[in-house]
Amino acid sequence: GAVVSQHPSWVICKSGTSVKIECRSLDFQATTMFWYRQFPKQSLMLMATSNEGSKATYEQGVEKDKFLINHASLTLSTLTVTSAHPEDSSFYICSARVIRLAGGGGNIQYFGAGTRLSVL
Amino acid sequence: KNQVEQSPQSLIILEGKNCTLQCNYTVSPFSNLRWYKQDTGRGPVSLTIMTFSENTKSNGRYTATLDADTKQSSLHITASQLSDSASYICVVSAEGNTPLVFGKGTRLSVIA
């Protein structure tokens, strides 16, 4: 299947600094990418939907100025956690969508391996 | 409201035993249903995907079933191994440009 690469896998930073997480679709073009956040023993929570060349759509309760999303190309989306604080510590997962035009099955999403952010 | 409910919430089984995880959904219009395995601290990895016309699909020791009429799916794991210990998440996709609907997952622990 398609591969989504997420980097870094783990980052530790001081409170007040900004952290950038990259998400790349390695062998396909993704017009839409998604960013999720996951707390321990919880399911994935959608933060925002990112469409190439346009502004991201944020879910209710997610601060767009806090979590900056850039989707400048069909294979790369970035999430920047600005002025990170300890409460931002979480597991962040990106996903890229492939639109299947033939053969049915609708749209397929492939997930990155996730980034564990620890803010001290 | 589109929802996905999974049961049980957690499960402990002995190595070598079989188990079945359940998923009920109310997502409409239905497009496809996927089972993912998520190891602790890792991203979800797809196990199976089924459209409304498919009622069973296997991937090694994993077999998923789908009943589109009752909107139920199950994931059967045969001859469990210690490495099967993970969270298993049922995810349903609706037609169109809509977000995936995630279940809360079943946390499986396989013990020796």
Side-chain angles (χ1 to χ4, degrees):
Chain A
V3 177
V4 174
S5 174
Q6 191 172 336
H7 178 81
S9 58
W10 192 13
V11 58
I12 302 173
C13 69
K14 292 182 179 180
S15 183
T17 60
S18 294
V19 175
K20 179 184 284 188
I21 303 170
E22 290 189 350
C23 180
R24 295 179 183 272
S25 56
L26 296 186
D27 49 3
F28 66 98
Q29 293 182 329
T31 54
T32 304
M33 289 187 174
F34 304 86
W35 287 95
Y36 296 86
R37 184 173 181 175
Q38 186 177 33
F39 293 104
K41 298 185 179 181
Q42 299 292 315
S43 188
L44 280 71
M45 294 170 46
L46 180 65
M47 297 175 66
T49 301
S50 169
N51 291 298
E52 185 266 337
S54 64
K55 291 183 178 180
T57 302
Y58 290 81
E59 296 298 302
Q60 189 174 7
V62 178
E63 300 175 57
K64 61 181 181 180
D65 295 329
K66 174 77 172 177
F67 300 99
L68 299 179
I69 292 174
N70 183 279
H71 193 164
S73 77
L74 288 172
T75 59
L76 174 65
S77 177
T78 60
L79 168 68
T80 301
V81 183
T82 61
S83 186
H85 288 94
E87 58 266 28
D88 297 324
S89 298
S90 187
F91 192 56
Y92 294 87
I93 305 173
C94 74
S95 174
R97 179 157 69 190
V98 175
I99 297 177
R100 293 171 55 169
L101 300 179
N107 303 327
I108 307 298
Q109 279 188 226
Y110 296 93
F111 290 86
T115 297
R116 179 158 301 284
L117 171 63
S118 297
V119 184
L120 305 178
Chain B
K1 181 180 178 181
N2 288 336
Q3 285 186 316
V4 174
E5 300 286 341
Q6 288 187 245
S7 62
Q9 185 176 2
S10 62
L11 182 63
I12 302 174
I13 62 173
L14 291 174
E15 184 180 15
K17 298 295 186 182
N18 304 335
C19 68
T20 301
L21 314 180
Q22 302 292 340
C23 173
N24 297 332
Y25 62 92
T26 59
V27 178
S28 181
F30 177 83
S31 175
N32 61 69
L33 183 148
R34 277 199 165 198
W35 283 94
Y36 287 89
K37 177 185 179 185
Q38 185 178 22
D39 293 310
T40 301
R42 304 291 295 172
V45 174
S46 178
L47 297 175
T48 64
I49 178 172
M50 290 181 291
T51 62
F52 69 90
S53 61
E54 300 171 298
N55 53 27
T56 186
K57 184 163 284 189
S58 292
N59 177 3
R61 294 181 295 103
Y62 301 103
T63 299
T65 65
L66 174 65
D67 186 332
D69 292 330
T70 61
K71 299 185 177 181
Q72 296 180 325
S73 176
S74 67
L75 180 69
H76 186 75
I77 304 175
T78 305
S80 61
Q81 300 175 358
L82 298 178
S83 58
D84 292 333
S85 296
S87 286
Y88 291 84
I89 307 171
C90 176
V91 183
V92 182
S93 175
E95 291 285 356
N97 196 26
T98 56
L100 297 179
V101 185
F102 289 80
K104 292 186 177 181
T106 292
R107 183 169 295 276
L108 175 66
S109 298
V110 181
I111 60 175

